[in-house]
């Protein structure tokens, strides 16, 4: 540790600058700018190099956070990149998109603002790109074994990269026209530009991973044929079966699911023309039902499209600004958070439950909401608080239940549990020999960091299945629950 008094000298937590709101509303580019290297080093130097680094435990990947904070402080970005890539295949994705449970567990966070771990991670990842340290790492020899990965989100990609580097011949099948899973068409460009994904895919291709976009397993190739052709199959199909509502008026035109709205808009954001199914919020009053991150992505998207007003409804009350007593350190507390989208305008309404949609000529024109309070464990309407919010576009962002039911799962003989997630054991194996499950498909809609961790661990289990033993890391078992989220 270079400076064991760094956290005493630099008390202020400084996150990277954000582009001015009026500017960023005019385009789809990323909101955050780079932090200058002097500030970055000072921030990394706040790390206390704790004897027991709780941050490390809170990261599902087990990222070696104090080690790379120290290397950044010393200015050794290349070694920092080595240490970071030792546990994380795609630190640029997590550096930009992770909600950073590690920071909630930072020991400094007990009585000072936590170290900016996520920003340091992103800066190391970007530095590796700038300096050309992201060279392909193809295997020295091939094993002659073949693996099919179904689904190209972060879980499928992490599994594919680990297995390719272990010498197996890996093909990634993706039903969409491009590789990337939710990072391609779900997550908005202003959170992570697609070029970031593409440069990583180029590295993977150069290492030997074969990408097969536009192929739906179960339709274009049957599950049975896949099992016959490959020695092992990793099912990483995500959990994008959305929840719906059945309030009166649900049938009105102008009410859409978030995942009907975001993917076509994301295509426009990267310059595609004549995108089918595009829903344009320009000039409309938009109401988003659901107070989570998917809702916040719709929020920023609608503002960029030029919506007249944007309102996000949350059934929960506004969270406290500080950690509550029943969510002690190092758990990830439910504190009030303001996403970059929320900074850009619009309105958030808390403790609001939707009762019905109001319409004119078959189109939605408003959303009736009522204030709710918890009475004996149930959200109960407060009489006399009903009101109608104007809305010509309503977006439903109330979560996902599990993987979409499709022929592939049946053909592969996979079972679902009581939560509609695909059943696998603690080593990612299903009851079908040679078939494994990783990512949201097995754990439910979650986070990129968990998907990468599962992909890495699943790859180790597959390697062991194919070769009898493995040297690949196994960061977690499939039933591990988050320490903090
Ligand atoms: C709008 C939105 C925003 C999000 N933002 C964040 C964020 O900021 N940070 C974060 O950490 N997490 C975020 N998440 C969650 C995160 O994206 C997921 O947890 C993660 O992508 C899961 O990875 P996965 O590989 O398991 O599945 P996915 O990324 O869902 O990928 C599964 C892929 O499988 C493909 N597929 C399905 N069936 C078949 C088939 N039969 N044949 C071929 N291909 C198939 C699908 O087309 C899809 O591309 C967000 C989620 C959403 C919906
Ligand atoms: S991946 Fe997420 S939890 Fe892990 S170190 Fe990075 S920001 Fe923290």
């Amino acid at each position: 540790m270079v400076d064991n008094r760094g956290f005493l000298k630099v008390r202020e937590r400084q996150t990277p600058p954000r582009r001015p709101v009026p500017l960023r509303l005019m385009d789809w580019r990323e909101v955050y700018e780079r932090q200058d290297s002097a500030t970055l080093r000072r921030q990394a130097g706040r790390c206390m190099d704790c004897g027991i680094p709780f941050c490390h435990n809170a990261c599902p990947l087990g990222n070696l956070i104090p080690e790379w904070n120290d290397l950044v402080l010393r200015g050794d970005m290349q070694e920092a990149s080595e240490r970071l890539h030792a546990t994380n295949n795609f630190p640029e994705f997590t550096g930009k998109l992770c909600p950073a449970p590690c920071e909630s567990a930072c020991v400094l966070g007990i009585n000072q603002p936590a170290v900016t771990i996520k920003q340091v991670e992103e800066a190391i990842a970007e530095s590796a790109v700038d300096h050309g340290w992201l060279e392909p790492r193809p295997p020295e020899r091939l094993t002659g074994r073949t693996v099919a990965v179904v689904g190209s989100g972060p879980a499928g990609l992490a599994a594919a990269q680990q297995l390719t580097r272990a010498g197996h011949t890996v093909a990634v099948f993706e039903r969409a026209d491009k590789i990337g899973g939710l990072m391609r068409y779900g997550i908005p460009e202003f959170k992570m530009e697609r070029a970031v994904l593409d440069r990583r895919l180029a590295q993977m291709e150069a290492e030997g991973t074969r990408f097969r976009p536009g192929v739906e397993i179960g339709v274009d190739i049957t599950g049975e044929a896949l099992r016959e052709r490959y020695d092992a199959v990793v099912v990483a199909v995500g959990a994008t079966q959305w929840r719906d509502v059945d309030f009166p008026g649900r049938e009105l035109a102008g009410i859409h699911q978030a995942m009907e709205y975001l993917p076509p808009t994301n295509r426009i954001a990267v310059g595609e023309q004549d995108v089918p199914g595009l829903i344009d919020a320009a000039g409309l009053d938009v109401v988003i039902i659901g107070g989570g991150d998917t809702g916040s992505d719709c929020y920023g998207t609608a503002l960029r499209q030029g919506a007249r007003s944007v309102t996000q409804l949350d059934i929960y009350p506004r969270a406290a600004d500080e950690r509550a007593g029943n969510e002690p350190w190092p758990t990830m507390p439910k504190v009030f958070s303001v996403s970059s989208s929320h900074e850009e305008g619009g309105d958030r309404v808390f403790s609001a439950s939707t009762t019905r949609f109001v319409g004119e000529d078959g189109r939605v024109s408003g959303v009736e909401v009522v204030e709710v309070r918890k009475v004996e464990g149930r959200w109960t309407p407060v009489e006399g608080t009903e009101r109608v919010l104007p809305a010509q576009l309503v977006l439903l962002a109330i979560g996902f239940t599990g993987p979409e039911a499709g022929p592939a799962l049946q053909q592969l003989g996979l079972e679902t549990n009581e939560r509609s997630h695909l059943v696998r054991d603690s080593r990612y194996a299903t009851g079908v020999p040679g078939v494994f499950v990783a990512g949201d498909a097995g754990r439910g809609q979650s986070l990129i960091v968990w998907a990468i961790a599962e992909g890495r661990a699943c790859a180790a289990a597959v390697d062991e299945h194919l070769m009898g033993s493995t040297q690949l890391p196994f960061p977690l078992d499939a039933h591990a629950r988050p320490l903090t989220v």
Side-chain angles (χ1 to χ4, degrees):
M1 187 177 181
V2 172
D3 185 356
N4 61 8
R5 296 178 63 80
F7 67 99
L8 294 174
K9 290 191 266 183
V10 183
R11 289 189 168 258
E12 195 193 349
R13 173 184 155 102
Q14 258 181 293
T15 51
R18 295 181 287 269
R19 295 196 295 130
V21 169
L23 267 190
R24 65 197 206 214
L25 285 180
M26 290 166 67
D27 61 38
W28 298 97
R29 289 188 32 234
E30 274 178 26
V31 166
Y32 287 91
E33 291 176 331
R34 287 202 190 182
Q35 199 163 45
D36 67 88
S37 65
T39 309
L40 179 77
R41 286 172 70 174
R42 271 199 310 276
Q43 289 294 312
R46 294 180 69 236
C47 178
M48 301 193 292
D49 194 18
C50 308
I52 299 174
F54 282 79
C55 55
H56 174 156
N57 284 346
C59 171
L61 287 159
N63 275 348
L64 306 167
I65 298 162
E67 284 190 32
W68 37 260
N69 275 333
D70 182 35
L71 289 160
V72 170
L73 177 63
R74 291 168 192 257
D76 190 348
M77 294 300 265
Q78 187 162 10
E79 186 55 25
S81 167
E82 283 295 318
R83 300 307 290 145
L84 180 52
H85 282 93
T87 55
N88 188 353
N89 296 67
F90 314 125
E92 65 280 25
F93 304 162
T94 44
K96 288 176 192 295
L97 298 168
C98 188
C102 54
E103 293 183 10
S104 301
C106 171
V107 178
L108 190 58
I110 295 175
N111 61 358
Q112 275 194 44
V115 175
T116 55
I117 299 170
K118 167 178 151 147
Q119 274 77 33
V120 176
E121 180 175 20
E122 191 203 353
I124 300 169
E126 289 304 321
S127 177
V129 175
D130 294 347
H131 292 91
W133 299 326
L134 276 198
E135 282 173 356
R137 297 184 182 186
E140 281 170 14
R141 59 182 180 81
L142 294 177
T143 62
R145 305 296 164 93
T146 57
V147 183
V149 176
V150 187
S152 68
L157 291 179
Q161 187 168 56
Q162 293 293 91
L163 289 164
T164 301
R165 288 178 173 178
H168 306 303
T169 301
V170 181
V172 179
F173 294 92
E174 170 55 58
R175 66 182 174 186
D177 61 342
K178 287 197 174 132
I179 297 292
L182 284 173
M183 295 184 302
R184 172 69 64 184
Y185 293 126
I187 295 171
E189 186 79 356
F190 56 81
K191 279 170 66 180
M192 186 181 86
E193 291 175 14
R194 293 316 96 133
V196 173
L197 174 60
D198 290 335
R199 71 192 185 201
R200 187 55 85 166
L201 298 180
Q203 183 205 35
M204 289 182 67
E205 260 185 318
E207 289 171 351
T209 303
R210 298 162 188 197
F211 292 127
R212 303 280 180 266
V215 180
E216 182 168 355
I217 301 303
V219 176
D220 302 308
I221 300 175
T222 65
E224 293 92 342
L226 203 67
R227 282 192 66 210
E228 273 167 32
R229 279 191 221 169
Y230 290 87
D231 297 319
V233 176
V234 175
V235 177
V237 294
T240 44
Q241 184 58 60
W242 56 59
R243 285 206 177 86
D244 213 323
V245 295
D246 57 2
F247 309 133
R250 171 65 183 92
E251 72 291 349
L252 292 165
I255 303 173
H256 300 276
Q257 285 285 347
M259 284 304 289
E260 293 175 311
Y261 174 64
L262 291 172
T265 323
N266 284 337
R267 288 178 182 271
I268 294 287
V270 293
E272 288 187 30
Q273 308 276 327
D274 303 323
V275 173
L278 180 70
I279 299 162
D280 194 351
L284 304 182
D285 299 301
V286 180
V287 170
I288 300 159
I289 299 180
D293 292 343
T294 302
S296 148
D297 290 348
C298 293
Y299 195 104
T301 303
L303 287 171
R304 278 164 183 72
Q305 285 182 324
R308 180 165 50 205
S309 71
V310 179
T311 308
Q312 185 175 10
L313 303 180
D314 195 335
I315 194 163
Y316 296 105
R318 182 191 182 284
D321 291 319
E322 301 288 335
R323 195 188 269 282
N326 60 356
E327 293 176 317
W329 177 90
T331 59
M332 190 158 182
K334 286 187 194 69
V335 288
F336 183 62
S337 70
V338 178
S339 73
S340 65
S341 297
H342 294 138
E343 295 168 350
E344 294 166 352
D347 199 12
R348 298 164 79 183
V349 180
F350 297 94
S351 303
S353 177
T354 305
T355 45
R356 67 185 175 105
F357 299 111
V358 180
E360 280 166 28
D361 303 327
R363 280 201 69 85
V364 69
S365 61
V367 177
E368 186 184 78
V369 293
V370 63
E371 193 184 319
V372 286
R373 282 203 202 122
K374 219 167 201 178
V375 180
E376 290 171 4
R378 292 175 66 90
W379 293 112
T380 310
V382 179
E383 229 175 276
T385 59
E386 298 83 3
R387 60 182 171 134
V388 175
L389 302 171
Q392 302 82 47
L393 174 61
V394 176
L395 300 170
L396 304 175
I398 49 173
F400 303 87
T401 55
E404 293 170 37
L409 306 185
Q410 209 180 1
Q411 291 166 8
L412 285 167
L414 302 183
E415 289 173 32
T416 50
N417 61 19
E418 67 292 346
R419 301 174 72 199
S420 313
H421 306 156
L422 296 184
V423 175
R424 72 270 173 82
D425 66 17
S426 62
R427 293 193 72 83
Y428 298 85
T430 65
V432 184
V435 180
F436 296 76
V437 168
D440 282 4
R443 66 183 300 115
Q445 185 71 225
S446 178
L447 294 173
I448 286 167
V449 61
W450 280 99
I452 299 173
E454 287 218 357
R456 286 171 69 83
C458 179
V462 171
D463 190 40
E464 189 176 57
H465 166 78
L466 294 174
M467 308 303 289
S469 65
T470 184
Q471 304 217 317
L472 293 178
F474 192 85
L476 39 98
D477 80 44
H479 298 143
R481 297 312 303 168
L483 173 69
T484 52
V485 273

